Amino acid sequence: MNKRIFLSPPHLGLEEFSLVTEAFASNWIAPLGPHVDAFEKEVAGYLGLADGVALNSGTSAIHLGLKLLDVNRDDTVFCSSFTFVGSANPILYEGAKPVFIDSEPGNWNMSVSALALALEDSARNNRLPKAIVVASLYGQSADFPSLQEVASRYEVPIIEDAAESLGATFHGKKSGSFGQLSILSFNGNKIITTSGGGMLLGNDAKLLEKARFWSTQARDPAPHYQHSEVGYNYRLSNVLAAIGRGQMRILDQRVIQRRGVYERYAQAFSDIEGFEGMPEASGAVSSRWLSVFTIDPSKLSIMPIQLIEKLALHNIEARLIWKPLHLQPLFKNVPYYRHEGADSFCDKLFEYGLCLPSGSALTMEEQDLVIEVVRENLLASCQRGVRHGRPITSEPLSQNV
Ligand SMILES: *Cc1c(COP(=O)(O)O)cnc(C)c1O
């Protein structure tokens, strides 16, 4: 049996080890240290932002971002429905009430028209949200200029969840540089990693200083330990920041490698009708963090979970795409705004989408094996004929490519 092919394993470069060794040699094993400061400057510099606060996860970054925007008990926060639960859990930490927004077909991220409708309703009911958490999924930026145009009519700030999209651009501007505040994740499966970590970024350095204060147990400036506010133990350690600095140096290369994997799959499946890659919106350059494809059930008679099981027989890890948050038991009865019409768009993505192995270190042989197994099963499914008659969307998914 071949070596296991993982979905998105960490991929370290040559410099991380020497930077970590340096952290050991200088005895900066204690949480704070020079690598943390340098990592913050380097990431903020890459995104062209004033400042960043290095934290122990992307989820902590969203939590402190919501606190900076004064989200309190019973406040409303809008959030993408089609995302990982880490985008929305912090809303619950603060006792606030989420409202979920559907995705749009062109980029799979928050629907501009659904957001407009939700804001209109909430303005009418005098319950405008304190913040909107917008996720950019699988390496592709949401349409922030349009979302911001709508949100700014009501003066509601956006937290940009760029946990999955570092390295991508939209009309030349870097993903992670759009929101009033933005967050990144350096979890082990993301495009670059510190094994675990995150960052909260923005252009208001004074505001971010407050997040830094909260992230280190909210210690008042005093010679003794004094606290007048609730604090958190959310800071990134110096050793992990050293890894992050090494990873930042190879980020652009990782984007090229991930895009290469996606292109190779897309080419190899281009003759199979009904198996489409995630569209790349006009003006967008996706990092293709994960290579995602959808099955059109009117053309192919195999479901994503069946294809995943077939790949598993070859020791290949593939996954279903995010289950929308409005369908999660945790969020039952949470209000949800669909993208136009009667059908929820992200429900269909969930039903018919899957992620193929996408690591930047995947060898050509490994990609070939994935391609072979996928092709074999899709072609067999064509021959069996179509059992489900429903098309995935009224228009083809690739309409905006
Ligand atoms: C990974 C991820 C997060 C959370 O990041 P962690 O570092 O794992 O806490 C948040 N949002 C999205 C969209 C993610 O993919």
Side-chain angles (χ1 to χ4, degrees):
M1 180 65 85
N2 55 293
K3 199 166 107 239
R4 183 152 175 80
I5 300 177
F6 289 99
L7 185 78
S8 179
H11 183 189
L12 296 189
L14 299 172
E15 290 191 61
E16 289 84 340
F17 190 66
S18 62
L19 285 157
V20 169
T21 307
E22 193 279 325
F24 273 72
S26 59
N27 210 21
W28 275 109
I29 304 297
L32 302 186
H35 286 300
V36 176
D37 301 340
F39 185 42
E40 290 176 342
K41 286 204 177 69
E42 286 162 12
V43 176
Y46 176 84
L47 294 176
L49 296 171
D51 199 10
V53 183
L55 299 168
N56 60 0
S57 75
T59 307
S60 318
I62 295 178
H63 185 199
L64 295 186
L66 292 172
K67 282 179 64 79
L68 287 181
L69 297 177
D70 195 34
V71 170
N72 291 300
R73 182 158 294 279
D74 296 329
D75 282 338
T76 301
V77 176
F78 287 3
C79 183
S80 304
S81 181
F82 186 48
T83 182
F84 175 57
V85 72
S87 302
N89 269 333
I91 301 171
L92 302 184
Y93 300 168
E94 287 303 311
K97 297 195 160 24
V99 170
F100 292 120
I101 313 286
D102 199 0
S103 294
E104 56 187 27
N107 59 27
W108 295 12
N109 292 313
M110 189 180 280
S111 156
V112 178
S113 59
L115 175 65
L117 192 63
L119 282 169
E120 223 172 272
D121 276 359
S122 63
R124 197 175 316 114
N125 301 324
N126 228 350
R127 272 207 64 91
L128 275 174
K130 279 269 182 77
I132 306 168
V133 180
V134 180
S136 291
L137 288 193
Y138 299 121
Q140 172 155 261
S141 177
D143 178 1
F144 282 100
S146 305
L147 293 167
Q148 260 155 344
E149 203 269 308
V150 175
S152 65
R153 281 185 230 150
Y154 302 88
E155 294 178 34
V156 182
I158 289 180
I159 296 182
E160 178 183 5
D161 178 351
E164 300 183 6
S165 58
L166 179 60
T169 59
F170 189 57
H171 291 289
K173 193 167 150 62
K174 288 197 167 79
S175 182
S177 69
F178 287 97
Q180 270 85 342
L181 291 167
S182 61
I183 75 100
L184 301 174
S185 166
F186 308 112
N187 192 20
N189 61 358
K190 300 288 155 73
I191 192 157
I192 61 165
T193 180
T194 58
S195 81
M199 200 174 285
L200 176 66
L201 297 118
N203 271 324
D204 188 340
K206 194 154 156 273
L207 191 69
L208 288 166
E209 199 46 49
K210 186 80 193 190
R212 205 173 270 120
F213 167 76
W214 284 328
S215 75
T216 48
Q217 305 285 22
R219 289 161 70 164
D220 293 339
H224 48 275
Y225 281 90
Q226 175 160 308
H227 309 275
S228 6
E229 283 185 63
V230 178
Y232 303 85
N233 185 1
Y234 276 178
R235 205 79 164 111
L236 186 71
S237 87
N238 194 52
V239 175
L240 299 188
I243 301 175
R245 293 186 68 197
Q247 290 269 280
M248 276 309 286
R249 294 175 194 178
I250 48 172
L251 169 61
D252 291 341
Q253 200 182 318
R254 295 293 180 260
V255 173
I256 293 167
Q257 288 160 329
R258 296 231 178 204
R259 285 183 65 83
V261 171
Y262 173 82
E263 286 306 330
R264 201 130 181 280
Y265 289 150
Q267 272 292 320
F269 306 136
S270 59
D271 62 325
I272 301 180
E273 248 195 285
F275 197 65
E276 296 276 353
M278 178 175 179
E280 192 169 48
S282 145
V285 179
S286 170
S287 72
R288 296 289 184 187
W289 168 58
L290 294 186
S291 285
V292 189
F293 287 82
T294 53
I295 291 172
D296 181 341
S298 70
K299 305 213 167 84
L300 295 166
S301 68
I302 189 167
M303 290 300 281
I305 192 71
Q306 296 169 308
L307 194 50
I308 289 168
E309 283 161 7
K310 295 288 187 194
L311 287 159
L313 296 176
H314 296 264
N315 215 10
I316 297 168
E317 182 188 26
R319 292 227 185 125
L320 294 176
I321 61 180
W322 300 126
K323 178 174 179 175
L325 297 182
H326 74 272
L327 299 177
Q328 300 285 356
L330 174 64
F331 296 112
K332 71 170 185 291
N333 302 326
V334 166
Y336 172 59
Y337 284 85
R338 286 186 302 263
H339 172 78
E340 292 162 17
D343 291 337
S344 163
F345 178 69
C346 66
D347 289 31
K348 288 184 216 160
L349 288 177
F350 171 57
E351 204 173 347
Y352 298 114
L354 82 160
C355 310
L356 295 177
S358 312
S360 41
L362 270 187
T363 64
M364 290 295 172
E365 290 72 30
E366 288 170 327
Q367 294 170 43
D368 287 340
L369 182 61
V370 174
I371 288 167
E372 188 189 312
V373 177
V374 170
R375 277 190 67 87
E376 191 182 291
N377 284 285
L378 292 179
L379 292 172
S381 114
C382 291
Q383 276 155 17
R384 281 197 303 274
V386 176
R387 274 170 291 157
H388 323 258
R390 276 185 302 150
I392 178 162
T393 48
S394 41
E395 299 111 346
L397 276 171
S398 53
Q399 62 167 334
N400 287 347
V401 170

